[in-house]
Amino acid sequence: MKEIKDKSVEIFLDELASKQATPGGGSAAAVMGAQAAALVSMVCNLTIGKPKYAAVEAELRDLLGEAEVLRQTLLGMVKADVDVFDKLMACYGLPKTNEQEKLYRGEQIQTVLKEATLVPLACAKACAQAIELSRTAAEKGNLGVISDAGVAVMAAYAGLKSAALNVQINAAGLKDRAFAEAQLAELDGLLSVGEQATAKIYQIVKDKL
């Protein structure tokens, strides 16, 4: 069976719109982040080799490499989200006809809930990285495609905010509150920095239009 990342956009959207539980919002968040990274790459590719931008070519070549690594990372997170959700649903489906089964089921749910909190948190971190990469694209990229740097930062921010919702909903079900609060605190930091950075980068782009 084809992985989600190997399917056409149309098929992915059809599956996203269907009654199936997966792919869902977590996978969509990862795709948003991957789109952001791809747009950063686009700006780099349309800047590198242009005599007018020779002074920043080396920096944008480095940026291109980072963006492509990040894009592949985020694509991998599309499947990671589906896998952990399916694993969690399997735990909820475990038998609970006696106390021993109930105890085992509860333990398994809590174990996988931790994983289901960490997977979208990793996506949020990756989207936060995409925001930062878009800053360089906005500051130094080809003015002819500067609006694409703006789309990149907005896609990355949407991915960050969307992944955050999945962290929060799964963390809410955790009994290990120390673990949950630690992840939520890290998330809050990402959201705060990401919001401020996105506003600044978006304005950089607007000022160049």
Side-chain angles (χ1 to χ4, degrees):
M1 184 179 292
K2 275 188 176 182
E3 285 191 22
I4 290 175
K5 69 182 183 65
D6 298 320
K7 297 178 180 179
S8 71
V9 172
E10 184 175 7
I11 290 174
F12 173 71
L13 292 177
D14 284 344
E15 292 180 351
L16 201 61
S18 74
K19 292 181 179 180
Q20 298 175 149
T22 56
S27 293
V31 170
M32 292 173 199
Q35 288 181 119
L39 283 165
V40 170
S41 292
M42 174 189 174
V43 174
C44 291
N45 281 319
L46 289 171
T47 305
I48 293 167
K50 305 285 186 183
K52 182 178 178 181
Y53 299 98
V56 297
E57 179 162 329
E59 188 172 354
L60 288 194
R61 284 191 184 279
D62 290 341
L63 179 63
L64 175 60
E66 290 182 64
E68 285 302 286
V69 169
L70 184 60
R71 177 157 68 104
Q72 292 306 314
T73 297
L74 281 155
L75 277 178
M77 290 177 177
V78 176
K79 183 175 185 297
D81 176 77
V82 171
D83 289 347
V84 76
F85 184 87
D86 289 346
K87 192 187 296 187
L88 185 59
M89 289 303 99
C91 289
Y92 279 114
L94 289 171
K96 48 181 178 176
T97 57
N98 57 53
E99 289 306 313
Q100 187 175 357
E101 287 181 347
K102 288 177 182 178
L103 179 61
Y104 177 76
R105 177 178 177 272
E107 289 173 345
Q108 292 303 302
I109 289 171
Q110 288 298 310
T111 296
V112 179
L113 265 179
K114 284 188 175 181
E115 187 180 348
T117 300
L118 293 174
V119 167
L121 181 59
C123 182
K125 291 177 185 177
C127 288
Q129 185 182 351
I131 290 173
E132 286 308 309
L133 295 186
S134 71
R135 183 194 300 275
T136 304
E139 290 175 342
K140 302 183 179 181
N142 186 335
L143 289 176
V145 289
I146 202 66
S147 60
D148 295 289
V151 177
V153 74
M154 295 311 296
Y157 184 58
L160 168 60
K161 293 279 282 187
S162 300
L165 295 174
N166 286 313
V167 175
Q168 291 158 349
I169 194 170
N170 290 321
L174 286 169
K175 292 180 180 178
D176 185 346
R177 295 316 301 166
F179 175 89
E181 294 304 325
Q183 312 319 310
L184 291 171
E186 184 172 6
L187 178 66
D188 285 345
L190 291 171
L191 289 169
S192 177
V193 172
E195 182 174 4
Q196 294 176 44
T198 298
K200 289 179 181 177
I201 297 164
Y202 189 78
Q203 191 59 50
I204 288 171
V205 172
K206 282 196 71 178
D207 289 345
K208 291 185 175 186
L209 297 178

